Amino acid sequence: EVQLVQSGADVKNPGESLRISCKGSGYSFPRYWISWVRQVPGRGLEWMGRIDPDDSDTNYSPSFQGHVTMSTDKSITTAYLQWSSLKASDTAIYYCARHATTAVGTHFDFWGQGTVVTVSS
Amino acid sequence: SYELTQPPSVSVSPGQAASITCSGDKLGDRYASWYQQKPGQSPVVVIYQDMRRPSGIPERFSGSNSGNTATLTISGTQAMDEADYYCQAWASGTVVFGGGTKLTVL
């Protein structure tokens, strides 16, 4: 059974750093891209970018480029989303999602349960 | 940047058909997918590649995509179909989501 299990909720102060995780299981982790999707409470889905776990190639949305960093560790089948300096506007639910194929044009066939990030002083 | 436009809300009576549209420039030239999201849950794909249904998705869900508009149709809508629905496509190597449509079954 394919599963994406994300790390738990976190509360941070503005300016702090944070790394959240997404552990894949039940499939060959390097073979499928992983995307991260943001959802501000009460709002829609925003694509942040994707990473190829096989070679760590990334493609960021212009809206998030330079503010977050995506990475993976194939040895523990885990993808990461990292901030070096959080802002209050980063408060949201963050989902990881698996691409159905490693090709542009594909859809997301499995999603993590979401990680709630709260940034508040 | 590429944009996908959805109506904020659609209402339907139980048993009737519901249609949710997604508009974008030449959207019919690219694949459209649809996701259902219920409160407190992660999104679930209900239609991909314009009209394909994943296993486990009821046959009452169908999709089409032509010209500038993709459409998700739910025939015989049930109370359990009440949710937010998002369309998704690719443009210039990036993923784009529509703003979402809240489907109310009343």
Side-chain angles (χ1 to χ4, degrees), chain A:
Chain A
E1 178 193 9
V2 174
Q3 285 191 312
L4 296 174
V5 178
Q6 298 186 230
S7 49
D10 220 322
V11 179
K12 293 289 188 181
N13 293 315
E16 291 188 324
S17 62
L18 174 65
R19 188 177 76 169
I20 63 175
S21 66
C22 167
K23 181 173 176 61
S25 63
Y27 71 99
S28 178
F29 184 73
R31 291 185 58 190
Y32 296 84
W33 293 349
I34 292 286
S35 271
W36 289 92
V37 177
R38 183 175 81 172
Q39 187 169 38
V40 173
R43 304 287 294 277
L45 304 174
E46 300 175 89
W47 183 73
M48 302 176 70
R50 64 95 183 149
I51 185 165
D52 183 339
D54 191 41
D55 60 8
S56 294
D57 178 57
T58 54
N59 184 15
Y60 293 97
S61 162
S63 299
F64 294 92
Q65 178 85 45
H67 187 55
V68 296
T69 301
M70 297 176 190
S71 61
T72 61
D73 185 337
K74 284 192 293 185
S75 68
I76 55 173
T77 66
T78 300
Y80 300 99
L81 179 66
Q82 182 173 334
W83 295 259
S84 59
S85 180
L86 287 160
K87 304 175 184 177
S89 57
D90 293 319
T91 295
I93 302 171
Y94 293 87
Y95 295 99
C96 61
R98 191 186 85 160
H99 291 239
T101 68
T102 53
V104 170
T106 191
H107 63 288
F108 302 115
D109 58 356
F110 289 94
W111 294 68
Q113 83 276 20
T115 295
V116 176
V117 173
T118 304
V119 184
S120 174
S121 55

Side-chain angles (χ1 to χ4, degrees), chain B residues 1 3 24 29 41 61 63 84 96 100:
Chain B
S1 61
E3 293 185 356
D29 291 346
Q41 298 183 19
F61 288 86
D84 293 326
V96 181

